[in-house]
């Protein structure tokens, strides 16, 4: 035996459960393009991105990654990666342009083709009904602060269940309603760009109600074996110090950032402290009898989107603030450590903390990581390769945190990497790249980054070397 042969193998494997789902995720407005084709009408993001000064460089999602025309190529990339699941969102204005009435069949046909292509590739489709692209006509009628929008969403959910229920076995009603309510209507940095604390709280309630009514519509139309879920971007909130004032800052952000959704959905109640915190903003009279019962319609699992933790202290925030009821009591403190191109801290411990907290607060509720990833300043080198070691390190640390949570007894059933493709990154336009597949937006050429090959290896192993 040679000296090389005698060296011990120090590599260990972090293996995930055999049934663990490995996926990637995207959103319709961020990748599809074809903004005015086959009957699609403007969404609030089409309007917002055309408003001067709202999106970096004046970028829009008119073409994006042209997924509408390159769908088969993109599914082939997923098949090469070996993923088991693909989470996509349906463009509401593509299938129901006014948010009312019958569906446009050409729009539905695109999603039929997409799901057929996925199934033929051995990939399970996971459909998200809402990833922020409200039909503009519904916004013109008042948008999410109006109860009617939630009613329309329930009807839309029924349309999609009838159209795809024979193909799609897993459904997510809403993606990150916190961002849509509080960034869209609170501080205006997302579409539709309104700045009203009262409107943001009304929107949050109507998102909850929309989720409940959609869950009921899905339950009534889908096979009993179908999975129905909700995805939240829950905040892993930490105090700057252990002072009573800083701990109260954590409580306030947890109320308006997390429990505003968690308590109605899973416990059928509003958080008492949130109602007190926001008493100068609203009396919550828009919550009607029967709403909380509908909102707490049972679901099969909770989706978690996590990117970085939040550190807070006693103080005050800039105005307008998305943190209704907390803006005069809380200031946000930059977390230490390395940062992504979004200037977000890299801290996988926050994901572990969040998963274990949810396991304690919501016993018996399965969890799925529906988004996790990082933006870096990627580029193709002269040979055409895209090397992104920082993203690989980010993903490895966060998957390690997920594995650790599972080992601690948390029921985590899957992981969806954000994102499959470089795309339109909302108010940042095309300046931020989250994809594991590089997209040259001038030519639409797709190139696997190193992180894509790394993730494909993780999927093939069912875990990662550690």
């Amino acid at each position: 035996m040679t000296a090389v042969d005698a060296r011990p193998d120090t590599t260990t494997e972090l293996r995930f459960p055999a049934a663990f789902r490995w996926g990637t995720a995207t959103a319709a407005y961020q990748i599809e393009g074809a903004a005015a084709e086959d009957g699609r009408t403007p969404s609030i993001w089409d309007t917002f991105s055309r408003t001067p000064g709202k999106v970096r460089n004046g970028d829009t999602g008119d073409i994006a990654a042209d997924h509408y025309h390159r769908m088969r190529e993109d599914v082939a990339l997923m098949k090469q990666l070996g993923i088991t699941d693909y989470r996509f969102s349906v463009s509401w204005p593509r299938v129901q342009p006014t948010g009312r009435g019958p569906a446009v069949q050409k729009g539905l046909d695109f999603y039929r083709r997409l799901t057929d292509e996925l199934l033929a590739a051995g990939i399970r489709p996971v459909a998200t009904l809402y990833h922020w692209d409200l039909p503009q006509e519904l916004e013109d009628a008042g948008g999410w602060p109006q109860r009617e929008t939630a009613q329309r969403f329930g009807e839309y959910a029924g349309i999609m269940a009838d159209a795809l229920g024979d193909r799609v076995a897993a459904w997510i009603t809403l993606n990150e309603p916190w961002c849509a309510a509080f960034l869209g209507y609170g501080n205006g940095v997302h579409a539709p760009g309104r700045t009203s604390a009262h409107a943001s709280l009304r929107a949050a309630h109507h998102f909850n109600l929309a989720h409940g009514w959609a869950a009921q519509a899905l339950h009534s139309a889908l096979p009993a074996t179908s999975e129905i879920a909700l995805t939240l971007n829950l905040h892993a909130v930490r105090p700057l110090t252990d002072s009573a004032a800083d701990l109260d800052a954590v409580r306030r952000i947890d109320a308006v950032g997390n429990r505003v959704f968690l308590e109605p959905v899973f416990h059928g109640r509003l958080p008492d402290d949130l109602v007190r915190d926001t008493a100068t903003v609203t009396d919550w009279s828009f919550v009607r009898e029967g709403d909380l019962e509908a909102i707490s319609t049972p679901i099969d699992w909770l989706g978690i989107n996590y990117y970085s933790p939040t550190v807070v202290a006693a103080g005050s925030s800039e105005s307008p603030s998305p943190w209704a009821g907390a803006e005069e009591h809380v200031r946000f403190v930059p977390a230490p450590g390395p940062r992504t191109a979004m200037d977000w801290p890299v801290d996988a411990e926050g994901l572990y903390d969040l998963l274990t907290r949810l396991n304690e607060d919501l016993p018996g509720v399965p969890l799925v990581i529906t988004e996790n990833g990082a933006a870096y300043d990627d580029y193709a080198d002269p040979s055409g390769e895209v090397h992104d070691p920082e993203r690989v390190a980010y993903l490895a640390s966060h998957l390690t945190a997920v594995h650790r949570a599972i080992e601690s007894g948390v029921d985590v059933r899957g992981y969806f990497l954000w994102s499959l493709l470089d795309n339109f990154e909302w108010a940042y336009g095309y300046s931020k790249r989250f994809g594991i597949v590089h997209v040259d937006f001038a030519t639409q050429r797709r190139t696997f980054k190193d992180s894509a090959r790394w993730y494909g290896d993780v999927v093939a192993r069912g875990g990662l070397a550690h």
Side-chain angles (χ1 to χ4, degrees):
M1 180 179 291
T2 66
V4 172
D5 293 331
R7 288 187 304 181
D9 183 1
T10 58
T11 300
T12 59
E13 291 278 345
L14 297 183
R15 295 214 171 266
F16 285 71
F20 196 79
R21 313 299 301 187
W22 296 98
T24 58
T26 63
Y29 189 72
Q30 293 183 268
I31 67 166
E32 283 182 2
E37 291 188 35
D38 294 335
R40 184 187 180 280
T41 57
S43 73
I44 56 175
W45 269 97
D46 293 274
T47 303
F48 188 76
S49 64
R50 283 173 168 72
T51 304
K54 295 298 185 182
V55 175
R56 188 169 297 183
N57 301 319
D59 292 339
T60 74
D62 286 0
I63 300 174
D66 199 29
H67 174 73
Y68 192 76
H69 300 112
R70 298 169 185 268
M71 175 267 292
R72 288 186 172 86
E73 175 186 356
D74 293 337
V75 174
L77 293 173
M78 296 180 227
K79 185 175 181 179
Q80 278 185 261
L81 291 175
I83 63 170
T84 63
D85 294 54
Y86 172 55
R87 177 183 171 231
F88 63 94
S89 81
V90 176
S91 168
W92 190 352
R94 192 177 296 287
V95 301
Q96 199 186 29
T98 66
R100 302 177 177 85
V104 172
Q105 290 304 310
K106 285 185 177 180
L108 290 177
D109 285 345
F110 170 73
Y111 297 105
R112 292 185 179 112
R113 293 193 303 273
L114 169 61
T115 51
D116 286 347
E117 196 76 13
L118 290 166
L119 292 168
I123 300 169
R124 186 176 77 146
V126 178
T128 300
L129 292 176
Y130 188 77
H131 199 131
W132 307 352
D133 47 358
L134 181 71
Q136 182 61 44
E137 189 164 315
L138 289 184
E139 173 60 23
D140 293 341
W144 285 108
Q146 298 303 312
R147 188 178 184 87
E148 183 189 359
T149 305
Q151 295 172 326
R152 300 286 82 81
F153 186 74
E155 294 166 4
Y156 157 64
I159 288 172
M160 295 310 306
D162 290 340
L164 296 182
D166 61 336
R167 296 166 168 85
V168 176
W171 296 78
I172 297 170
T173 55
L174 304 172
N175 176 80
E176 298 188 357
W178 186 87
C179 291
F182 293 97
L183 301 183
Y185 293 91
N187 71 346
V189 300
H190 278 194
R194 293 203 234 167
T195 54
S196 164
H198 181 258
S200 70
L201 292 169
R202 288 180 63 98
H205 174 65
H206 293 137
F207 272 118
N208 279 335
L209 193 56
H211 159 73
W213 282 340
Q216 291 177 345
L218 294 173
H219 276 300
S220 66
L222 296 174
T225 54
S226 298
E227 300 173 12
I228 299 169
L230 167 69
T231 279
L232 301 176
N233 60 309
L234 297 173
H235 301 81
V237 193
R238 299 171 180 163
L240 179 62
T241 74
D242 289 333
S243 70
D246 286 1
L247 290 173
D248 187 64
V250 169
R251 180 200 60 76
R252 287 177 179 273
I253 296 304
D254 186 55
V256 74
N258 296 333
R259 288 182 285 113
V260 64
F261 301 109
L262 289 173
E263 291 201 24
V265 169
F266 291 101
H267 302 298
R269 65 184 182 231
L270 289 172
D272 290 338
D273 59 334
L274 176 65
V275 174
R276 291 194 302 271
D277 291 347
T278 57
T280 60
V281 180
T282 181
D283 61 4
W284 293 85
S285 58
F286 46 81
V287 180
R288 299 185 186 177
E289 185 176 354
D291 283 5
L292 292 166
E293 182 180 0
I295 291 166
S296 58
T297 298
I299 58 176
D300 296 292
W301 46 267
L302 175 64
I304 305 299
N305 291 358
Y306 174 86
Y307 293 92
S308 61
T310 301
V311 181
V312 298
S316 61
S317 302
E318 293 182 7
S319 183
S321 165
W323 305 98
E327 61 269 38
E328 295 180 2
H329 304 273
V330 180
R331 66 184 175 94
F332 293 83
V333 181
R339 311 184 86 77
T340 70
M342 298 290 288
D343 198 32
W344 296 347
V346 178
D347 189 337
E349 191 69 17
L351 178 55
Y352 175 81
D353 292 344
L354 181 60
L355 292 173
T356 52
R357 174 254 175 106
L358 291 169
N359 190 55
E360 294 174 1
D361 292 354
L362 304 173
V365 177
L367 306 175
V368 174
I369 309 302
T370 40
E371 287 183 26
N372 177 239
Y376 288 103
D377 295 324
D378 307 318
Y379 61 93
D381 69 16
S383 68
E385 295 289 313
V386 182
H387 303 297
D388 56 344
E390 291 175 309
R391 181 175 292 106
V392 170
Y394 178 99
L395 296 172
S397 66
H398 286 74
L399 277 170
T400 299
V402 174
H403 184 272
R404 185 170 148 227
I406 293 172
E407 291 291 295
S408 299
V410 183
D411 186 6
V412 186
R413 299 192 177 180
Y415 176 91
F416 289 79
L417 190 158
W418 184 271
S419 178
L420 176 70
L421 303 169
D422 289 336
N423 55 38
F424 174 86
E425 187 48 41
W426 308 115
Y428 293 92
Y430 296 99
S431 69
K432 305 297 181 185
R433 293 181 177 269
F434 275 89
I436 56 172
V437 176
H438 182 272
V439 177
D440 180 329
F441 293 107
T443 65
Q444 294 296 337
R445 177 181 174 84
R446 274 86 160 127
T447 303
F448 277 151
K449 302 177 187 179
D450 287 350
S451 57
R453 299 184 182 91
W454 177 87
Y455 189 55
D457 183 63
V458 168
V459 174
R461 291 170 176 266
L464 62 159
H466 183 65

